[in-house]
Amino acid sequence: MKLSEIRVICFSPTRTSSKIATSVAEGVGAAPIVKTDLTREACEWSASGDVLTVFAVPVYGGKVAPLALKRMERIRGNGTPAVLIVVYGNRAYGGALNQLDAWAVAHGFVPIAAGTFIGEHSYSTVEFPIAQGRPNEQDLAYARTFGERIRQRVESAKTLTAVNVKHIARPKQSLFALIRFIVAVLKWQRRKEPMQRSPKVDPERCVHCGACAAACPVGIIAPDGTTLTEEGCIRCCACVKRCPHQARSFDTPFRQMLWKNFKTAKMPQTILSK
């Protein structure tokens, strides 16, 4: 099969999903790459059957980020081959890959490959690093190699069949650490402590540069850095990570729980149709 285009479609507030999807597309390298970023706005697009589409989305709470699915709703395929990628912060991706697979099939795509990759957790800080610096060079090299395998599959196949994403290998996880994390969450829930709903601003550090406003996927930050409303905040922490003056912060009890229990680096996993 000869590809006319490789379309990268991603929702990537902190740019991790975008980096991985781009590396996969570069590894395929058999056609021009066109990028569609859904981080700030939705897209309406109908794909032909000779376009390889690479979907990459972050995982929030074991599911595809709800806003990502909303932004993709007007995208349609026509028997279009697709690569599905979910990116999680080293804890677990839950049912997110199955969810993305169901969405892709319902919208006319044929998932021929899928991958689960690790990106720096939204809650990660210097003090409590959670998959800090991921995807790293090793991750991106793995993504490019995955893309090369996809190209070989596409070029050699007379017909492309869908892959069963349920057969993808699951990353190894310490049962003790997982139980310890669940117990910590249950203890916190019983205390019924209020949780910060959105990142806060340190007026002593903020210089009103607008970097946070440009990063916010839901547009609830004014150009001067003022949070217009907490309603709609998805706690992606893009504004925190993109602030050049460390003027924004998001305090959550889950940060230490995640840091304590999920320090062992998980590796990417991929699957490709036969």
Side-chain angles (χ1 to χ4, degrees), residues 119-236:
E120 182 173 312
H121 200 286
S122 298
Y123 298 164
S124 178
T125 62
V126 174
E127 185 179 6
F128 299 108
I130 311 165
Q132 191 172 43
R134 305 286 297 274
N136 53 30
E137 285 304 317
Q138 182 180 352
D139 295 320
L140 298 180
Y142 185 95
R144 286 189 288 271
T145 300
F146 180 41
E148 292 170 3
R149 291 171 55 214
I150 294 170
R151 182 189 68 236
Q152 293 168 4
R153 179 73 184 97
V154 170
E155 291 178 345
S156 64
K158 292 182 179 179
T159 58
L160 293 171
T161 57
V163 68
N164 188 340
V165 301
K166 293 179 181 179
H167 291 166
I168 194 170
R170 286 272 177 173
K172 293 181 180 179
Q173 172 63 58
S174 165
L175 181 59
F176 174 73
L178 180 60
I179 293 173
R180 187 171 59 187
F181 173 74
I182 293 172
V183 170
V185 171
L186 292 174
K187 285 182 178 179
W188 176 81
Q189 289 177 333
R190 283 199 295 269
R191 291 197 296 269
K192 297 182 179 180
E193 297 176 1
M195 183 174 174
Q196 187 173 318
R197 296 178 62 189
S198 66
K200 301 300 181 184
V201 183
D202 181 349
E204 297 294 322
R205 289 176 174 267
C206 181
V207 299
H208 312 293
C209 67
C212 55
C216 180
V218 289
I220 60 171
I221 304 176
D224 66 354
T226 304
T227 301
L228 301 175
T229 175
E230 290 187 334
E231 294 298 325
C233 178
I234 61 174
R235 292 184 283 277
C236 65

Side-chain angles (χ1 to χ4, degrees), residues 2-131:
K2 184 174 177 59
L3 299 174
S4 66
E5 178 184 299
I6 303 170
R7 176 72 64 128
V8 172
I9 298 179
C10 62
F11 178 82
S12 188
T14 58
R15 298 175 176 171
T16 54
S17 299
S18 177
K19 289 178 182 179
I20 293 165
T22 300
S23 293
V24 171
E26 290 172 347
V28 176
I33 298 173
V34 178
K35 298 181 183 179
T36 299
D37 189 346
L38 305 176
T39 307
R40 293 301 300 267
E41 59 185 5
C43 169
E44 183 172 355
W45 180 61
S46 295
S48 61
D50 61 352
V51 175
L52 179 67
T53 308
V54 182
F55 291 101
V57 295
V59 176
Y60 293 167
K63 298 180 179 180
V64 175
L67 187 56
L69 289 178
K70 184 176 180 180
R71 297 262 167 94
M72 295 193 301
E73 188 55 40
R74 293 184 293 171
I75 294 174
R76 295 288 185 276
N78 182 22
T80 307
V83 180
L84 310 179
I85 295 170
V86 295
V87 182
Y88 66 107
N90 204 54
R91 185 184 74 83
Y93 58 87
L97 184 57
N98 291 338
Q99 185 185 9
L100 184 59
D101 178 65
W103 177 92
V105 172
H107 285 73
F109 293 90
V110 180
I112 63 167
T116 59
F117 285 78
I118 295 80
E120 182 173 312
H121 200 286
S122 298
Y123 298 164
S124 178
T125 62
V126 174
E127 185 179 6
F128 299 108
I130 311 165

